[in-house]
C-alpha cells in the first residue's frame, strides 16, 4: 500500500549490490497529551495468537511512494505511468477475493471494521468480504495514477500530504508536515557474508532482520553441512537472545554490523525477481497489519508500524523522529561464483528471519529445488518456545523448551517468495502458506 514502507535489494548483471531503504520512519510526537492512545487487538493464527496495535497513534511516516519512484528512476526501463496503470485499473474495477485473502480478512476483522472508512471497503454489507466477492478501491486507483503522473511529490509535499496530515492530526496522530516533507529513500550497502562457498547479501542496519540472519548463518557455518535441527534451533536461540535494548539502540550507529558480528563470531509482501541476464531484485514491503486509518480522497491506508510490538520491543513511541524502526524484513540474495543464484525474502514479522534461514539452508546445504525448499516444514524459536509445523522431528528438543505443534502449514511461519538460477535454468516458488505464486515471462 501507499501508506507503507519497505526495503529493496538489487544485484547481479554487473551492478554494485545496493539496498534501497524506504521503510516507515518514526513521526514527531508532541507529548503534550493531545495524541491518541494505541488500540490493542488480538489476531489468532489458529494454534497461536499475536497482539497488535492499530489506530492513528500507530501510524508512522510512509515510504512506499518515495521508494517506488526512486527505484524506477535508478533501475527502471519503462515509464512509471505505464507501470502504475494496470494496478490502478484493477483497483477501480475490483478484484475477486481469493481463499487466502478471505482468511486474512477474517482473522483481521477487528482491524478492518475499526473505522467507518475501512469498514466501507472491507465490510460493505456488515461483514468482511468472503472468497469470491469483489474488493474495489477506486480512490487507490486514482492515487496510483497520480503517482504515475507526478511521482512522489504530492504524497509528501502536495495536496495528498496535506490531507493525510489534517486527517491524522484531527484524530490524535503524530505525523507532521515536516515529517512528510523531510522523508527520503536512502541508499545503503548490503550486509555481505560468506556461507559455505556462497556469498549472502541481505538487509543491513538499521534493519534488524538481516543482521540476525547473518549471525545465525555464521554460527551454522561452523557446523558440518547440512546442519542438524538442534543446531538450527540453537542458532535461532542465539539470534533471539541478542535482540536486547543495546542491540536495538546500536543498529543505526556507524560500524555497528562489523562490531556486532566481530565480537560474537570472532501485513507484509515480498517479491523476488531474476531476469535472463542475471539481474535480481528482492523487495519486501509492509503496512504492518494496517492501522485501519483510511484517509478519504487519498487512497491511502496508513501503516501501524509504530504500534507493532516486534518493531518496538522495548516500548512504544521511544524512537526519535525520523528513525527507521528495526524491522525484521530482510530481502536477500545468495551469490555463487559472482552470479546470482537465489533471490528470496519473506513476510511474517519475527518469523521472517527463521523462514529465510531455513530456506537458504535447504537450497545451499540440502540441494533442494526452490519450490521444495519454500514448501518444506519450518520451526521457529521465540521467547523460550519452539513452534513447529507437521513433518518436523524435534529430536529431543521437547525436553529443553516448550513446544507448540501446528496441525498444518500456517501463515504464522512466514511467506517466502523465491527465484532460483541453477545450471543455466530459472525457477520460482511462491509460499503456499500465504497464497504465493511464481510467474515466468
Amino acid at each position: 500500500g501507499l501508506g507503507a514502507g519497505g526495503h529493496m535489494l538489487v544485484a547481479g548483471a554487473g551492478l554494485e549490490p545496493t539496498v534501497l531503504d524506504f521503510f516507515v520512519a518514526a513521526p514527531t510526537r508532541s507529548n503534550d497529551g493531545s495524541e491518541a492512545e494505541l488500540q490493542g487487538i488480538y489476531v489468532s493464527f489458529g494454534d497461536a495468537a499475536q497482539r497488535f496495535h492499530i489506530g492513528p497513534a500507530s501510524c508512522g511516516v510512509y515510504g512506499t511512494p518515495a521508494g517506488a519512484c526512486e527505484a524506477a528512476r535508478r533501475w527502471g526501463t519503462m515509464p512509471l505511468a505505464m507501470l502504475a496503470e494496470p494496478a490502478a485499473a484493477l483497483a477501480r474495477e475490483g478484484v475477486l477475493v481469493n481463499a487466502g485473502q478471505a482468511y486474512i480478512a477474517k482473522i483481521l476483522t477487528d482491524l478492518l471494521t475499526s473505522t467507518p472508512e475501512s469498514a466501507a471497503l472491507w465490510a460493505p454489507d456488515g461483514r468482511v468480504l468472503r472468497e469470491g466477492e469483489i474488493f474495489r478501491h477506486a480512490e487507490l486507483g486514482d492515487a496510483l495514477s497520480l503517482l504515475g503522473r507526478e511521482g512522489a511529490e504530492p504524497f509528501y509535499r502536495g495536496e495528498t500530504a496535506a490531507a493525510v496530515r489534517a486527517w491524522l492530526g484531527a484524530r490524535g496522530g503524530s505525523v507532521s508536515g515536516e515529517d512528510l516533507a523531510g522523508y527520503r529513500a536512502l541508499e545503503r550497502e548490503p550486509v555481505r557474508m560468506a556461507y559455505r562457498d556462497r556469498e549472502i547479501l541481505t538487509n543491513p542496519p538499521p534493519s534488524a532482520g538481516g543482521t540476525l540472519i547473518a549471525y545465525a548463518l555464521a554460527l551454522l557455518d561452523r557446523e558440518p553441512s547440512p546442519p542438524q535441527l538442534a543446531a538450527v534451533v540453537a542458532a535461532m536461540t542465539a539470534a533471539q537472545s541478542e535482540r536486547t535494548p543495546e542491540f536495538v539502540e546500536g543498529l543505526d550507529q556507524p560500524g555497528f554490523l562489523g562490531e556486532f558480528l566481530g565480537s560474537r563470531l570472532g501485513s507484509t509482501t515480498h517479491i523476488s525477481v531474476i531476469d535472463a541476464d542475471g539481474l535480481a531484485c528482492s523487495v519486501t514491503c509492509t503496512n504492518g497489519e494496517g492501522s485501519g486509518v483510511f484517509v478519504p480522497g487519498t487512497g491511502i491506508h496508513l501503516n501501524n508500524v509504530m504500534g507493532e510490538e516486534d518493531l518496538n520491543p522495548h516500548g512504544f513511541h521511544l524512537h526519535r523522529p525520523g528513525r527507521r524502526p528495526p524491522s525484521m524484513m530482510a530481502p536477500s540474495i545468495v551469490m555463487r561464483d559472482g552470479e546470482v543464484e537465489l533471490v528470496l525474502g519473506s513476510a511474517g514479522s519475527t518469523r521472517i528471519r527463521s523462514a529465510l534461514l531455513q530456506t537458504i539452508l535447504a537450497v545451499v546445504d540440502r540441494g533442494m529445488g526452490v519450490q521444495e525448499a519454500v514448501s518444506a516444514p519450518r520451526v521457529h524459536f521465540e521467547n523460550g518456545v519452539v513452534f513447529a509445523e507437521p513433518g518436523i522431528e524435534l529430536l529431543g528438543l521437547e525436553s529443553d523448551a516448550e513446544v507448540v505443534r501446528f496441525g498444518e502449514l500456517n501463515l504464522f511461519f512466514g511467506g517466502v517468495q523465491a527465484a532460483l538460477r541453477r545450471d543455466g535454468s530459472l525457477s520460482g516458488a511462491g509460499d503456499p502458506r500465504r497464497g504465493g505464486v511464481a510467474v515466468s515471462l
Side-chain angles (χ1 to χ4, degrees):
L2 294 171
H7 303 270
M8 176 183 291
L9 170 60
V10 174
L15 288 181
E16 183 66 23
T18 301
V19 169
L20 189 63
D21 178 347
F22 54 99
F23 192 48
V24 172
T28 303
R29 289 180 60 83
S30 64
N31 295 315
D32 61 1
S34 64
E35 284 148 328
E37 297 292 329
L38 292 167
Q39 302 168 232
I41 62 170
Y42 280 96
V43 176
S44 173
F45 294 89
D47 294 293
Q50 191 172 1
R51 182 173 173 83
F52 298 109
H53 296 85
I54 62 173
S58 71
C59 303
V61 185
Y62 49 79
T64 297
C69 291
E70 181 63 11
R73 184 187 71 79
R74 290 187 180 214
W75 301 296
T77 58
M78 297 173 64
L80 187 60
M82 186 180 297
L83 296 173
E85 272 315 304
L90 286 174
R92 294 188 187 102
E93 296 165 7
V95 295
L96 289 178
V97 175
N98 64 32
Q101 293 162 341
Y103 174 71
I104 294 292
K106 181 180 178 181
I107 67 174
L108 292 180
T109 293
D110 288 347
L111 187 161
L112 296 176
T113 58
S114 62
T115 65
E117 296 77 26
S118 181
L121 288 167
W122 278 103
D125 296 324
R127 56 164 177 77
V128 295
L129 295 172
R130 298 173 179 168
E131 183 180 0
E133 296 180 330
I134 295 177
F135 175 79
R136 183 180 290 107
H137 193 356
E139 288 184 351
L140 175 58
D142 294 341
L144 290 168
S145 293
L146 177 65
L147 183 76
R149 290 195 312 271
E150 301 185 27
E153 182 71 16
F155 298 88
Y156 294 97
R157 287 164 288 278
E159 291 186 5
T160 300
V164 170
R165 185 176 69 247
W167 187 261
L168 270 184
R171 289 157 180 80
S174 302
V175 177
S176 69
E178 291 76 15
D179 291 331
L180 289 169
Y183 187 91
R184 299 291 186 276
L186 303 174
E187 178 181 326
R188 302 192 190 277
E189 184 177 348
V191 172
R192 296 171 180 257
M193 65 158 297
Y195 180 72
R196 311 301 187 203
D197 60 345
R198 275 48 164 212
E199 182 182 38
I200 310 295
L201 308 176
T202 189
N203 205 14
S207 176
T211 299
L212 294 176
I213 291 171
Y215 180 38
L217 284 170
L219 292 173
L220 291 171
D221 201 29
R222 298 170 171 174
E223 302 286 333
S225 174
Q228 298 300 307
L229 179 63
V232 175
V233 173
M236 291 181 185
T237 305
Q240 169 71 16
S241 70
E242 294 293 350
R243 207 169 174 224
T244 62
E246 293 75 19
F247 175 86
V248 172
E249 286 305 309
L251 275 167
D252 62 350
Q253 299 301 311
F256 173 80
L257 177 67
E259 181 180 341
F260 174 80
L261 294 179
S263 66
R264 287 156 178 81
L265 302 174
S267 165
T268 304
T269 302
H270 183 84
I271 300 172
S272 296
V273 181
I274 185 168
D275 70 13
D277 297 322
L279 178 62
C281 177
S282 178
V283 57
T284 312
C285 298
T286 188
N287 213 25
E289 293 68 49
S291 64
V293 179
F294 285 76
V295 182
T298 69
I300 292 177
H301 179 196
L302 290 164
N303 66 83
N304 73 323
V305 164
M306 308 318 297
E308 287 250 25
E309 289 184 1
D310 294 339
L311 302 181
N312 302 270
H314 307 298
F316 297 109
H317 306 312
L318 299 181
H319 299 300
R320 64 181 178 275
R323 186 186 181 188
R324 314 281 165 102
S327 168
M328 284 296 112
M329 293 192 296
S332 302
I333 293 175
V334 177
M335 306 289 288
R336 186 174 192 179
D337 299 328
E339 294 187 346
V340 173
E341 178 183 26
L342 178 67
V343 190
L344 74 165
S346 181
S349 189
T350 57
R351 280 84 63 192
I352 289 174
R353 62 178 184 267
S354 57
L356 296 181
L357 174 65
Q358 290 167 91
T359 304
I360 291 171
L361 296 177
V363 171
V364 174
D365 284 316
R366 294 181 169 84
M368 289 185 183
V370 65
Q371 188 63 66
E372 183 185 10
V374 167
S375 300
R378 297 179 189 143
V379 296
H380 176 72
F381 176 85
E382 189 167 355
N383 298 328
V385 180
V386 174
F387 300 89
E389 291 183 311
I392 293 286
E393 295 294 334
L394 294 178
L395 302 176
L397 290 174
E398 291 166 303
S399 62
D400 299 323
E402 179 185 349
V403 173
V404 174
R405 290 184 176 273
F406 281 64
E408 58 186 2
L409 299 187
N410 191 283
L411 59 84
F412 177 83
F413 291 87
V416 177
Q417 314 299 327
L420 178 68
R421 189 183 195 189
R422 179 180 282 171
D423 299 326
S425 63
L426 302 178
S427 57
D431 201 319
R433 297 165 182 83
R434 297 196 176 211
V437 297
V439 178
S440 177
L441 299 175

